Amino acid sequence: MSRNLSRFLSVNPSEITPEHIYHTRRQFMKMIGVWVAGTLLPACTVSQAQSLVPPPATTTTAATSRPSVTPTPVATQEDKTPTPMTPNAQTQQDELGNPLTPYELVTGYTNFYEFTMSKQGVAALAKDFKTSPWEVTVGGLVHRPRTFDLEDLLKKFPQEERVYRMRCVETWSMVIPWVGFPLSQLLKEVEPMGSARFVRFESVYRPEEMPGQRMPGFPWPYQEGLRLDEAMHELTILATGLYGVPLPVQNGAPVRLVVPWKYGFKSIKSIVKIELVEEQPATLWSTVAPHEYGFYANVNPEVPHPRWSQASEQRIGESGRRPTLPFNGYAEQVADLYRGMDLRQYF
Ligand code: MTE
């Protein structure tokens, strides 16, 4: 994309979203009956950082260059149950005043190792990936284990728009208008047992459709985990869309986790299994490189990754770097979860 990216940073998203994407967006909004009320986050003042954890990231080097991409939105759901939608809704910035990262960058510069390690190559390799039918089983230490298909998730849980910053451990970041619902709603539905302390997530394993899974070196399927209180936190969502359209495959279709105060690798894509467990679960990255990618992975500018600093980041679409905020700017909402913990140990 050779157009001047800086032009995008101060304009209304309606000016940066191609017409065909608007069309898909309208269908998606109708289907899920989205009640888009703009960002639902309270104003977030960045409070004092606690000294937290370092973490992780992928084994690639830090991404610092601007991508050059062509948008390739992939509609993964059909408009079967149109319902009225509330007009409005294109929130144009996050609660700190940061403009949204343009759609074409959010969808054209992605990490999805099941397809490829190339950030700009995922969309092309993912175009034949089947996201329908799709089921998510939720079980383990719960009183009411259940399997939800995608329609269940879209109908049962009111979908909201959430504008979140996303900070990759590789030091790039974006501001993304997700569509989704709090994970806590789904967990309440299955009634966790008192013995459940962690939540384990698993991505789909389909090597015939995902070329990266045919390569040696990673213990597929991708898996991640959260402490139960982190999973129940209001900021933690399951996303089914972004920019008002269904999630493109490259961004984790049809349903993914988003935990905005943690490095992006915690936000596991294309989820098929959620399990409540007693012991801290293994995660893909902490298995591959335990000294680089911890279980907690809270964004922390004070603790460098073993191979690079985490003090600053590049917002994709901007030139220059900006300081990284403790907990990615969500300290006020989440720092209490870690009170009393040595976050250098629990990184
Ligand atoms: N989930 C799966 N299943 N596979 C992946 O490779 N990459 C992670 C995370 N979730 C990844 C994943 C990483 S490293 C990041 S930074 C984010 O997804 C990137 O999300 P995005 O590509 O939508 O920006």
Side-chain angles (χ1 to χ4, degrees):
M1 180 181 63
S2 55
R3 283 176 291 169
N4 182 357
L5 288 174
S6 63
R7 182 176 73 82
F8 291 148
L9 299 176
S10 56
V11 301
N12 186 311
S14 64
E15 296 174 51
I16 62 176
T17 307
E19 197 178 325
H20 64 288
I21 296 173
Y22 269 131
H23 185 64
T24 311
R25 168 189 300 161
R26 183 149 50 241
Q27 290 181 327
F28 178 58
M29 293 301 203
K30 280 182 179 172
M31 175 177 146
I32 63 179
V34 164
W35 188 272
V36 184
T39 180
L40 302 178
L41 294 176
C44 168
T45 50
V46 179
S47 61
Q48 281 213 323
Q50 291 192 339
S51 84
L52 312 179
V53 206
T58 60
T59 53
T60 57
T61 52
T64 52
S65 60
R66 293 177 185 180
S68 168
V69 297
T70 306
T72 50
V74 180
T76 56
Q77 297 139 21
E78 292 177 75
D79 185 358
K80 291 186 188 145
T81 53
T83 53
M85 62 174 279
T86 303
N88 156 38
Q90 275 317 299
T91 307
Q92 298 174 37
Q93 57 186 28
D94 72 1
E95 81 287 0
L96 300 180
N98 298 295
L100 303 184
T101 302
Y103 176 88
E104 52 199 342
L105 296 181
V106 171
T107 59
Y109 187 81
T110 56
N111 268 340
F112 206 162
Y113 280 36
E114 285 90 330
F115 290 100
T116 172
M117 290 171 76
S118 154
K119 290 176 170 52
Q120 293 169 52
V122 181
L125 286 169
K127 70 179 172 6
D128 295 326
F129 180 70
K130 292 182 204 59
T131 57
S132 177
W134 193 273
E135 288 186 339
V136 181
T137 61
V138 189
L141 300 174
V142 299
H143 292 292
R144 298 179 61 210
R146 269 195 68 176
T147 297
F148 297 88
D149 65 26
L150 188 62
E151 292 231 321
D152 292 334
L153 296 178
L154 294 175
K155 283 184 185 154
K156 187 161 190 58
F157 304 106
Q159 309 286 305
E160 312 165 354
E161 184 168 85
R162 298 277 185 109
V163 177
Y164 284 159
R165 294 172 293 288
M166 189 183 69
R167 168 64 153 82
C168 179
V169 69
E170 297 167 331
T171 81
W172 53 268
S173 62
M174 297 187 182
V175 181
I176 303 175
W178 301 104
V179 176
F181 60 96
L183 173 62
S184 61
Q185 291 180 6
L186 178 138
L187 295 177
K188 283 177 194 155
E189 193 69 23
V190 297
E191 297 176 15
M193 294 177 181
S195 52
R197 294 173 54 236
F198 293 89
V199 185
R200 178 181 173 276
F201 304 86
E202 194 176 297
S203 295
V204 69
Y205 179 66
R206 248 188 246 162
E208 63 286 5
E209 290 178 36
M210 304 173 106
Q213 288 183 335
R214 302 199 290 268
M215 305 296 165
F218 288 97
W220 305 116
Y222 198 105
Q223 48 178 315
E224 259 305 335
L226 293 174
R227 238 173 37 195
L228 184 56
D229 58 345
E230 296 176 322
M232 295 296 288
H233 194 280
E234 167 63 17
L235 290 181
T236 304
I237 60 167
L238 287 177
T240 56
L242 56 78
Y243 265 103
V245 296
L247 274 186
V249 172
Q250 62 269 29
N251 292 97
V255 57
R256 71 174 292 173
L257 185 69
V258 179
V259 193
W261 70 94
K262 293 179 179 284
Y263 291 118
F265 68 87
K266 297 294 290 183
S267 293
I268 181 173
K269 298 177 173 183
S270 304
I271 296 171
V272 292
K273 188 172 181 186
I274 299 176
E275 217 181 349
L276 285 278
V277 296
E278 193 165 355
E279 302 298 328
Q280 181 176 305
T283 69
L284 180 134
W285 288 112
S286 63
T287 304
V288 168
H291 303 300
E292 300 198 357
Y293 310 109
F295 177 81
Y296 280 90
N298 294 313
V299 174
N300 185 356
E302 295 178 13
V303 181
H305 181 276
R307 289 183 280 133
W308 55 80
S309 166
Q310 293 292 17
S312 69
E313 66 199 62
Q314 184 183 20
R315 184 68 43 85
I316 297 295
E318 288 182 2
S319 56
R321 297 180 71 83
R322 52 167 69 214
T324 286
L325 302 175
F327 294 105
N328 203 22
Y330 299 100
E332 192 170 284
Q333 293 99 321
V334 302
D336 274 355
L337 293 172
Y338 310 102
R339 195 169 295 284
M341 284 176 68
D342 175 358
L343 294 174
R344 289 179 180 264
Q345 183 185 350
Y346 296 101
F347 63 94

